[in-house]
Amino acid sequence: MSNHNPLRVVFMGTPDFSVPTLEALIQAGHTIVGVYCQPDKQKGRGKQVQMPPVKVAALEHNLPVYQPVTLRDEQVQAELEALKPDVVVVIAYGKILPPWLIRLPQYGCINVHASILPNYRGAAPIHYAILNGDTKTGVTIMHMDDGLDTGDIIDIVETDILPGETTGQLFERIAVLGGETIVPVLTRWVNGEIVATPQDDTMATHTAKITKEMGHIDWSKPANEISNLIRGLNPAPGCYTYLDGKRLKIWSGEVVPSDTTHCLIDIRGKHVPIAISATTVPGTIVSKIDGLGVFCGDGNIILLTEVQPENKKRISATDFINGHQIKEGIVFGDSN
């Protein structure tokens, strides 16, 4: 580091999302004195115990790993104090840091957060950026305080949300962006070249926890909103509707330009007839060309291109149509 020796860093993170930032700190030559992540968990049908991705990465580099159930414990506090970190870097750790820890390191606890703060504080900033149809997001490097994502802003790096991009795809890009951002920002922060800026709390928005129930598609909503829901909940927990009482997961769909006056939609340059009338209700399948064309509440059409029948694998909507005698005029409905 310019003008500075390598820092003693405690790293706190758990999922895949955190790994590029840990790798960047290692590559930069910092001394990672401890890596903290959530405890191992049972996963899948076989209930096999799996290590968090951050633990896997840390062990590959022979770094000491700590997995306390809680940070609010005298033994954990003594252990962290003994590590004498210059700075604590936190990204998607999954636990609230207690006040004593926030005040422990000389250069503070630095958080890599996946939004342009004060927008989207909380646990699901990437999901909500897509659910709300945003065209821009980014990474905020923040000097943590006792609140939830309320700390002063050290730096922000923005990125465009690409058309059709899913939460999973954006997660991967933002994770890489976090890794690219942390080292140069940390250098400038430690060298006193950055003055952190307080957030405007009056502009703050908060993200609620993502639930499976959020994935139930309400076809009376506008097509664009449904498209954002499908993108926002891909890969998890996924969107779904019902057909003949069975759940059908929807993995991809796009809004297609429609001329409902002349009963046509434009699918990749092709004028395709659609079966609509004054009595067509939202959720009705109105086209079967290149996917399932579904009539939405605003009169627009969403073209579903990848679906997953209950207890089956994902398939293209075209294969689903061919295998299930899907007819125009069928209406997606509720489970009853």
Side-chain angles (χ1 to χ4, degrees):
M1 287 183 65
S2 61
N3 309 329
H4 210 278
N5 295 324
L7 294 168
R8 292 177 60 83
V9 178
V10 162
F11 182 85
M12 296 184 148
T14 298
D16 283 321
F17 186 73
S18 314
V19 172
T21 297
L22 174 59
E23 296 280 0
L25 291 165
I26 295 166
Q27 295 302 319
H30 292 301
T31 306
I32 313 296
V33 293
V35 174
Y36 281 71
C37 58
Q38 299 273 31
D40 297 356
K41 280 191 177 153
Q42 290 183 336
K43 282 215 172 149
R45 290 181 182 167
K47 297 288 185 193
Q48 285 187 314
V49 175
Q50 284 191 354
M51 296 188 288
V54 161
K55 181 179 180 179
V56 174
L59 293 177
E60 283 173 1
H61 292 281
N62 298 312
L63 297 175
V65 175
Y66 302 87
Q67 297 175 277
V69 174
T70 176
L71 295 172
R72 296 172 192 281
D73 176 280
E74 284 182 16
Q75 190 179 337
V76 173
Q77 182 169 349
E79 178 183 87
L80 267 157
E81 286 171 349
L83 292 175
K84 295 188 169 59
D86 297 316
V87 67
V88 175
V89 175
V90 185
I91 174 167
Y93 175 45
K95 292 187 191 300
I96 303 288
L97 271 55
W100 65 261
L101 177 52
I102 285 169
R103 286 155 187 72
L104 176 65
Q106 179 183 351
Y107 298 109
C109 294
I110 307 301
N111 180 237
V112 182
H113 183 77
S115 79
I116 301 170
L117 287 171
N119 264 345
Y120 303 133
R121 293 174 178 174
I126 297 177
H127 289 87
Y128 278 89
I130 290 185
L131 289 172
N132 290 335
D134 294 359
T135 56
K136 199 178 278 295
T137 184
V139 165
T140 300
I141 311 288
M142 169 182 56
H143 186 210
M144 295 174 76
D145 62 15
D146 293 342
L148 178 64
D149 300 329
T150 53
D152 292 353
I153 292 168
I154 297 171
D155 199 14
I156 292 174
V157 179
E158 296 186 357
T159 184
D160 290 334
I161 298 174
L162 307 176
E165 194 164 28
T166 66
T167 287
Q169 291 164 338
L170 187 55
F171 252 92
E172 288 182 15
R173 287 207 302 117
I174 297 273
V176 171
L177 190 62
E180 291 169 350
T181 305
I182 187 62
V183 172
V185 169
L186 202 53
T187 303
R188 289 167 55 218
W189 172 248
V190 168
N191 291 343
E193 295 164 18
I194 302 178
V195 176
T197 312
Q199 293 185 44
D200 182 349
D201 291 337
T202 63
M203 300 296 288
T205 59
H206 295 265
T207 62
K209 195 178 174 190
I210 299 292
T211 64
K212 284 184 179 176
E213 292 71 32
M214 288 171 68
H216 187 186
I217 296 172
D218 176 357
W219 296 105
S220 69
K221 294 281 176 69
N224 212 39
E225 205 173 304
I226 295 169
S227 171
N228 292 340
L229 186 71
I230 294 167
R231 291 165 54 219
L233 300 187
N234 181 347
C239 282
Y240 60 93
T241 187
Y242 290 94
L243 186 62
D244 297 329
K246 290 188 175 174
R247 183 178 291 215
L248 182 71
K249 278 204 156 183
I250 309 295
W251 288 111
S252 64
E254 59 195 81
V255 180
V256 292
S258 53
D259 175 359
T260 47
T261 309
H262 297 96
C263 297
L264 292 171
I265 55 173
D266 184 348
I267 301 178
R268 300 177 186 99
K270 289 187 291 192
H271 292 306
V272 175
I274 47 174
I276 62 167
S277 69
T279 57
T280 302
V281 297
T284 303
I285 296 168
V286 296
S287 165
K288 301 189 299 177
I289 295 174
D290 288 352
L292 286 162
V294 185
F295 187 74
C296 301
D298 60 352
N300 285 315
I301 312 297
I302 189 162
L303 184 72
L304 308 180
T305 51
E306 189 181 20
V307 299
Q308 184 176 6
E310 206 168 290
N311 302 320
K312 300 272 177 60
K313 290 182 177 174
R314 293 186 189 196
I315 54 172
S316 72
T318 303
D319 286 346
F320 178 73
I321 291 163
N322 294 339
H324 289 77
Q325 281 95 45
I326 300 297
K327 294 183 175 66
E328 290 168 354
I330 288 175
V331 182
F332 287 126
D334 291 324
S335 52
N336 48 23

